[in-house]
Structures are given as C-alpha cells and as structure tokens.
Amino acid sequence: MNIFEKMYKSKKEQDCELFFMTDIPKIYDQYLTKDIDKFVEFLRKKDNFLYFIMSMLCRSSQFYNWEFIKHTLVNPYFAGELSEQDVYKIDKEMFYDILLKYYKHEAKDSDLYYTFYGQELPVSMFLTDEFQSEYLEEIKKHYILPIINKLYPLSEKLRDTSKFNENKMIKNFYCDVTKNSFNSAIINFKSYILPKCLEIFEPCLHKDFVLFSEKIIRGIEYLNNHLSEKIFNNQKYSSEGEIKWIPVLEKSELRFDYPIAMLLKKSLEQYIFGYAIKYTLENNNDSKIILAKNFHFISEFSSIFDFINEVVNLKKSEINYLFLKLLNRNCNMIDMEMTFIINIFRLSDDSKMVTKRTYKLLEKDLPFIENGSCNIFQW
C-alpha cells in the first residue's frame, strides 16, 4: 500500500491525522518523479495509478476534466462501486492534463529549469504554477510524453503486480539526503568559505588553514561513507536509522526540490571551519594577536569567533565532537538521537570506534556556541 492509498483510505475512514501529517508525498514529488522509469513502474500498478490521480484532485489546482474524474473515479470509490474499467477511462488527454499540472505545481524541477535557462528557478515559481510557454514545452518533452508513451494503452500496461517498493524508495531518498548534504557542505566550503577566509586572514595563516581544511574534509568524506553504510545497510543500525537518524534529517530542514538537509550542511561547514581554525591557531605563535586585531572589527565574524577561544583549548580528541555539538544545536537533537550518532560515528583521528560514551558524559567537554549566525558565510 503506497502513501496515496493510505491517505485516501484514512480520509474514507475519517482518520485526518494521517491524511494531513505526512511528508512522504513530497518524496514522491521531488525524488521519485525525476526518474521516469521508476515513476512509470510505480504508476503501472492499477491501485497506484488510481490513488495518484485521486490525490492530485486534492493537492493541485483544478483540472479541465475535474468533474469527469470525480464522477468516474472518486464517487464510485467512496461508494464501493469502482471497477477496473472505470480506471481505463482516464485517456491520454486527461492524464496529459494531470501530469502537466503535476509537474508545474507539485513536482517542479529546479535542475531542469537551470539547464534550460542557465539560472535558478525563482522562489516565486514555488508559490505559483506560472511558467513561460517554452519551458512548458520542455516539461512536456522531458517528462510528460515519455511517461504517457510508456504507460498507454492502460488496458495493456497497467497490471496488479509491480516491482516498485515504497519503503526502498524512501530509504534511498534519505540515504541520498545524507550523502548530498555532506558533499554539498564540502563543495560550498571549498568554493565559497575557504576563498573568503583567505581574503580576510593574514597571509601567514593561509597555508595552515588550507592544509587543515583539506585534512578534515578527507575525514568528513570517510565519515560520510561510514555513516551511510551503517545507517542504511548495516542490519544493526538500519531499523534504528528510521526512528533516530531520519528525524535528525527532517529537523535539518529538508529541501525537497533537491535532497539536501540545509542545517546538516551548515553544521558540517562550521565543523570544517572550527577544526581548521583550531589547528591553524595552534601552529602560529602570533595568530591569536593577528586574529584579534583583524576580526574584532568585522562584525559579520564576531558571532562565529565568540567560541574560538574555547575551540582552541579543546584537547585533540574533543575537537572531533565539535560537529556533534554543532549538529545538536542546529538540529535540536534529543538525547536518544545524539547517543545513536555517537555510537556509529568514527570520529577519532585513528578511526577507532567510539564506544561506551554518551552525550551526557561529553556535555561538559563540548564547546557551546551561543550564536551560530555568521552573515558572511550565510550561517
């Protein structure tokens, strides 16, 4: 049973809690639908096709054939009189209209927009379904026509069995969210934050800051692979990931248009910065004086440098927990989630497993960041 079927059955049974309290449709909209073959595999199951169409009547603007679909599918469904032949009455033209509304309103594709126009999809486009006519033609060519060609005639292509697995799709989505968040943080640090630091830091700090940035980035790349392997593939942690890691990602403000958790990405960028600045300061005898002289006059940096003294005084092993503290602060994690992450992260430099340590025991050793806002880094 897919989420659209669950939602419609909950509506039929007047279970409004499920109908209104789920983000899974967004995963369909912004993840599954970008892979045409997998989306078609989903739609080929008769029930999936039916419930997807009925859900669209509730989620999007009116269709040209709204009344026909309501009387052909929705009313018979709630009356318990819906037949297989009723589903086949949704012809190519009607489904074309449904898909056009869907990709305009629910399943917007910022990557396709960027490829077509060479610029990002305007924020206003997420609030309306207004597009230029030439871009609509691109949507039709890229998504709608291929889907219809693979799906029709319905009497031959729809079937009761399907390889589509909703749980696997959801797991793959959150796995990609994790990997993309880590990768995006690294890319943004290298392309934006590091060059900005080198513009402002004294020349004597440049070499060390770059070296330590590269070192921690290598550690984060390892951590990313290790984390994904543990949470999504390891039998011991895969079930816990659903109730402990996925909520952290969701509290990290998922951007469904492309699967990145923004606050997770932000925590990683701050961690790279904190690690690199700690060891840069330790390697330069005059660095504290240099930084004090320069940064006390730069208000944008004052908030992030409020905790530099505490970071510098951390022991070697404790700097690795800076990321956990940042993640805890940015994502408002509960003790259960923090303990789960401590138990699966390999954070020490020698890659030994961190065991028998809890967030409560580490709290007194971790630096507090009273204000994590740094405008110049978009923090």
Side-chain angles (χ1 to χ4, degrees), residues 197-209 284 290:
C197 288
L198 298 183
E199 286 179 14
I200 301 171
F201 288 1
E202 294 288 336
C204 62
L205 303 181
H206 289 188
K207 182 178 179 181
D208 284 336
F209 190 77
N284 290 268
I290 294 169

Side-chain angles (χ1 to χ4, degrees), residues 39-252:
F39 188 34
V40 169
E41 188 63 44
F42 164 76
L43 291 171
R44 276 181 176 158
K45 188 172 183 179
K46 292 187 184 75
D47 283 350
N48 293 356
F49 183 79
L50 164 67
Y51 290 111
F52 173 75
I53 290 176
M54 293 201 301
S55 71
M56 283 300 299
L57 293 181
C58 300
R59 300 176 67 209
S60 194
S61 350
Q62 269 198 350
F63 301 104
Y64 298 123
N65 298 290
W66 191 90
E67 285 297 330
F68 178 86
I69 295 172
K70 179 181 177 183
H71 291 297
T72 303
L73 297 182
V74 179
N75 291 346
Y77 169 80
F78 280 103
E81 301 171 351
L82 185 69
S83 71
E84 186 175 281
Q85 295 303 315
D86 290 332
V87 179
Y88 296 153
K89 292 176 183 177
I90 307 301
D91 60 24
K92 285 185 179 182
E93 288 72 22
M94 290 183 208
F95 198 56
Y96 184 98
D97 178 46
I98 291 171
L99 288 176
L100 183 59
K101 290 284 185 181
Y102 182 56
Y103 277 98
K104 284 172 62 179
H105 189 68
E106 303 290 347
K108 291 183 173 71
D109 186 349
S110 61
D111 289 337
L112 181 63
Y113 189 91
Y114 187 88
T115 301
F116 190 72
Y117 285 112
Q119 62 186 37
E120 293 185 0
L121 183 67
V123 175
S124 59
M125 291 295 190
F126 288 93
L127 307 176
T128 67
D129 60 356
E130 296 299 322
F131 286 97
Q132 299 179 37
S133 58
E134 63 267 24
Y135 182 62
L136 291 182
E137 292 301 318
E138 189 68 14
I139 292 176
K140 295 172 187 176
K141 182 176 69 174
H142 192 83
Y143 287 115
I144 298 175
L145 291 177
I147 291 172
I148 288 178
N149 290 337
K150 290 174 180 288
L151 200 60
Y152 280 81
L154 294 178
S155 58
E156 296 177 10
K157 300 294 181 66
L158 290 190
R159 53 178 181 258
D160 292 325
T161 59
S162 174
K163 296 178 182 178
F164 177 77
N165 184 318
E166 183 179 83
N167 289 334
K168 183 178 179 181
M169 183 268 291
I170 293 172
K171 185 188 80 168
N172 288 341
F173 170 77
Y174 284 110
C175 182
D176 282 353
V177 168
T178 303
K179 291 180 178 178
N180 290 342
S181 300
F182 275 70
N183 293 336
S184 296
I186 291 171
I187 291 170
N188 192 55
F189 188 89
K190 287 181 175 179
S191 63
Y192 176 69
I193 298 175
L194 179 58
K196 183 64 69 173
C197 288
L198 298 183
E199 286 179 14
I200 301 171
F201 288 1
E202 294 288 336
C204 62
L205 303 181
H206 289 188
K207 182 178 179 181
D208 284 336
F209 190 77
V210 170
L211 287 175
F212 289 118
S213 296
E214 291 173 347
K215 179 180 178 182
I216 191 60
I217 285 172
R218 288 194 296 272
I220 285 177
E221 288 170 340
Y222 168 81
L223 177 61
N224 186 16
N225 295 330
H226 179 75
L227 176 66
S228 299
E229 176 186 346
K230 281 289 182 184
I231 290 181
F232 298 105
N233 297 319
N234 185 294
Q235 186 176 358
K236 180 179 178 181
Y237 291 109
S238 58
S239 59
E240 287 188 295
E242 182 177 351
I243 59 174
K244 296 177 181 177
W245 177 244
I246 289 178
V248 173
L249 294 176
E250 291 172 342
K251 285 185 288 188
S252 297

Side-chain angles (χ1 to χ4, degrees), residues 240-285:
E240 287 188 295
E242 182 177 351
I243 59 174
K244 296 177 181 177
W245 177 244
I246 289 178
V248 173
L249 294 176
E250 291 172 342
K251 285 185 288 188
S252 297
E253 297 180 0
L254 293 183
R255 292 189 63 174
F256 283 95
D257 186 43
Y258 48 98
I260 295 176
M262 301 308 293
L263 293 180
L264 173 59
K265 172 177 172 287
K266 168 183 171 180
S267 301
L268 285 158
E269 291 169 356
Q270 291 178 335
Y271 176 45
I272 299 170
F273 179 85
Y275 184 97
I277 201 68
K278 167 184 166 61
Y279 289 109
T280 298
L281 293 177
E282 286 185 351
N283 276 18
N284 290 268
N285 294 331

